[in-house]
Amino acid sequence: MSIGPPDEDPGPSGAVPVRAVPVRHPGRWASAAVLVVLGAMLVHTLGFSTVLRGGKRVPRFEWGVVGQYLTTGPVLRGLLVTLELSVLAMVVGIILGVLLAVMRLSPNPLMAGTSWLYLWFFRGTPVLVQLLFWYNLSYLYPTFTVGVPFGPGFVHFSANSITPFLAAALGLSLNEGAYMAEIVRAGILSVDEGQAEAASSLGMTRGATLRRIVLPQAMRVIIPPTGNETISMLKTSSLASVITVGELLLAVQNVYSRTYQTIPLLMVASLWYLAVTSVFTVGQTFLERYFGRGSTREPPPGFWTRLRRNLAIRPRNPTVAGAGPTGS
Amino acid sequence: MTDAMVQAEQVGKRFGRLEVLRGIDLTVRTGEVLCLIGPSGSGKSTFLRCVNHLEKVDSGRLSVAGELVGYRESGGKLYELRDREVCRKRAEIGMVFQRFNLFPHMTAVDNVMTGPLRVRHESPTTARERAGGLLARVGLADKADAYPNQLSGGQQQRVAIARALAMSPKLMLFDEPTSALDPELVGDVLDVMRGLADDGMTMIVVTHEMGFAREVADTVVFMDSGLVVESGPPDAVLTHPSHERTRAFLSKVL
């Protein structure tokens, strides 16, 4: 049986296409109309509305001020620190997370217990508190010593070597490690046991099996929440402004504390956060494609394909819709 | 040294309180094809998994090519083998699983190459060349770059056989290799196995394919509730079984 669009000649097989009135979707059109109106209102208020300020009519959102500061030196330097901090914290967090997840799944109860304790502590305290804690570490440990445990020390250095940036990186990484550990563990558990068995039957060691067989397959489950964590980290890094790290938020705060143009400068920061998260999202899509190889026969349809399909707009060279291979 | 490839003496295995193997005595000679048959839950697969130490034997002695599985004997004492030593021994035993267990993130040829590349540390060029040859041997030369989910069940199982063969094993274990296949795909897999048997490969095959057992096996072993009930040439066990339980089982599957 074939289902084709109406008003079409019979196919080469001579099958007569089914002629039917397609189901109407008035609800879709109504909701689309509401969204269009709401969208128009949003564009108007953002771009074209004015407000009385000090007896003068001025644009409500001062886009001019936003544009003026968007690419100034201090803002860009702040953005760079934000990027450095987030990327560093994510990289360390992911490494730590893999380590903790493997420990948690280890047959050695001491390993598993240590991992559990770590998670309990770092997930159980607010990250802002942890940042403040690392920032004030010199109160607990004025100097650090490398040496024999309970014995003589060889190298000493002062706690002043912990800069605010280092304290923030430390706090964010250790916290992130705890969350990544659970994500990685879920990924490892999602891989069928038969995979590890097949690898061992080839003579692969536990380590090689984890690296070559289990983790690459776990990546499919690990990547989406990790993308989430990366985007979340980019924004959480703004907490570092509290411990005087000159990242994006502190950079704009420094400006508006002089000029009192609070809202436009917060918009500057938001625009940059949005821009960077957009770039990360695209990167995540590519990573998902790569690690999803072998898992689907066709990549999932993109945004435009879905839109076209929903609006029942026919592609230029018609293929028979819904005639793809069905389940095995 | 005898020519016994696998020697089991009173092999026992329990999962918690469940006794799965209750003293298996069994010998597989080099070059022999042994088919293990029996109802599900009789311990056939567990025994197979014991042979390459995917399961630990709880009692008795099990040796492959004259060496104990999982242990080293020295001065009348048993020492457990290290992970690395167990791996080295497993590398010499090929295993084919009921559910194929191909690595889904790798193409067929990468699946076949994995063992030589990661365990034997062969060069990628030689490994790929040999993998291509093995895929041709199982009739899948044109599917080298296909991912497992682009292959039918029968093709996947043949890739899995090629993957096991890539390690040049001295013993092949088949754990119900055709049970997850559509009936019309079973033949291709059995043909490959028949070819292996003709080439003199030592094989233990857990199977429900009585036709295959009758035609290819040198010995058929019937197991029930963790014990070997009966063993002998296919004709003796399958056509003229001497035990009531064997007869009851065969009457259901034939």
Side-chain angles (χ1 to χ4, degrees), chain B residues 73-147:
Chain B
E73 199 169 25
S74 171
K77 261 184 169 171
L78 289 184
Y79 298 89
E80 217 171 311
L81 291 182
R82 296 168 173 285
D83 190 33
R84 201 160 281 281
E85 296 166 308
V86 171
C87 287
R88 198 173 309 135
K89 291 199 171 178
R90 276 197 192 123
E92 300 176 342
I93 303 173
M95 183 149 188
V96 175
F97 299 85
Q98 179 177 357
R99 303 203 47 81
F100 329 136
N101 295 353
L102 286 182
F103 306 133
H105 59 301
M106 298 180 185
T107 58
V109 69
D110 284 334
N111 263 280
V112 179
M113 281 169 66
T114 296
L117 210 57
R118 304 297 170 208
V119 180
R120 300 244 199 269
H121 304 291
E122 281 179 22
S123 82
T125 333
T126 38
R128 187 172 292 275
E129 218 166 88
R130 282 215 311 124
L134 285 163
L135 283 175
R137 183 170 169 189
V138 298
L140 292 172
D142 54 330
K143 297 288 185 189
D145 294 321
Y147 281 98

Side-chain angles (χ1 to χ4, degrees), chain B residues 63-241:
Chain B
S63 54
V64 173
E67 289 179 35
L68 279 182
V69 174
Y71 303 93
R72 181 163 42 83
E73 199 169 25
S74 171
K77 261 184 169 171
L78 289 184
Y79 298 89
E80 217 171 311
L81 291 182
R82 296 168 173 285
D83 190 33
R84 201 160 281 281
E85 296 166 308
V86 171
C87 287
R88 198 173 309 135
K89 291 199 171 178
R90 276 197 192 123
E92 300 176 342
I93 303 173
M95 183 149 188
V96 175
F97 299 85
Q98 179 177 357
R99 303 203 47 81
F100 329 136
N101 295 353
L102 286 182
F103 306 133
H105 59 301
M106 298 180 185
T107 58
V109 69
D110 284 334
N111 263 280
V112 179
M113 281 169 66
T114 296
L117 210 57
R118 304 297 170 208
V119 180
R120 300 244 199 269
H121 304 291
E122 281 179 22
S123 82
T125 333
T126 38
R128 187 172 292 275
E129 218 166 88
R130 282 215 311 124
L134 285 163
L135 283 175
R137 183 170 169 189
V138 298
L140 292 172
D142 54 330
K143 297 288 185 189
D145 294 321
Y147 281 98
N149 74 349
Q150 297 165 327
L151 300 173
S152 75
Q155 291 170 333
Q156 288 187 53
Q157 192 62 297
R158 283 185 280 155
V159 173
I161 293 174
R163 179 176 68 178
L165 289 177
M167 297 300 285
S168 318
K170 51 189 179 190
L171 169 67
M172 284 284 285
L173 309 174
F174 292 87
D175 189 0
E176 305 200 20
T178 56
S179 298
L181 297 180
D182 290 339
E184 81 268 24
L185 302 176
V186 169
D188 291 338
V189 172
L190 291 183
D191 283 343
V192 170
M193 292 169 63
R194 201 171 285 128
L196 276 179
D198 290 344
D199 289 349
M201 176 65 78
T202 313
M203 294 159 60
I204 305 182
V205 185
V206 172
T207 188
H208 293 295
E209 294 291 331
M210 296 305 154
F212 176 81
R214 189 186 300 277
E215 184 195 338
V216 180
D218 299 304
T219 308
V220 173
V221 172
F222 174 70
M223 278 177 69
D224 192 16
S225 35
L227 285 170
V228 171
V229 176
E230 188 167 348
S231 73
D235 189 51
V237 177
L238 296 176
T239 320
H240 310 289

Side-chain angles (χ1 to χ4, degrees), chain A residues 192-195 197-208 212-213 216-217 291 293-297, chain B residues 49 52 54 83-84 87 90-91 93 95 97 101-106 114-115 118-119 147 149-150 163-164 167:
Chain A
D192 180 49
E193 240 177 286
Q195 292 292 310
E197 273 184 4
S200 342
S201 79
L202 288 175
M204 288 172 81
T205 57
R206 267 170 50 96
R212 302 285 178 189
I213 307 300
Q217 293 183 60
F291 283 104
R293 70 196 190 282
S295 63
T296 46
R297 287 172 203 216
Chain B
R49 294 161 60 83
N52 72 349
L54 281 179
D83 190 33
R84 201 160 281 281
C87 287
R90 276 197 192 123
I93 303 173
M95 183 149 188
F97 299 85
N101 295 353
L102 286 182
F103 306 133
H105 59 301
M106 298 180 185
T114 296
R118 304 297 170 208
V119 180
Y147 281 98
N149 74 349
Q150 297 165 327
R163 179 176 68 178
M167 297 300 285

Side-chain angles (χ1 to χ4, degrees), chain A residues 75-90:
Chain A
V75 170
L76 289 184
R77 271 195 293 280
L79 176 66
L80 189 66
V81 174
T82 288
L83 281 174
E84 284 169 356
L85 192 59
S86 319
V87 170
L88 183 64
M90 269 325 281

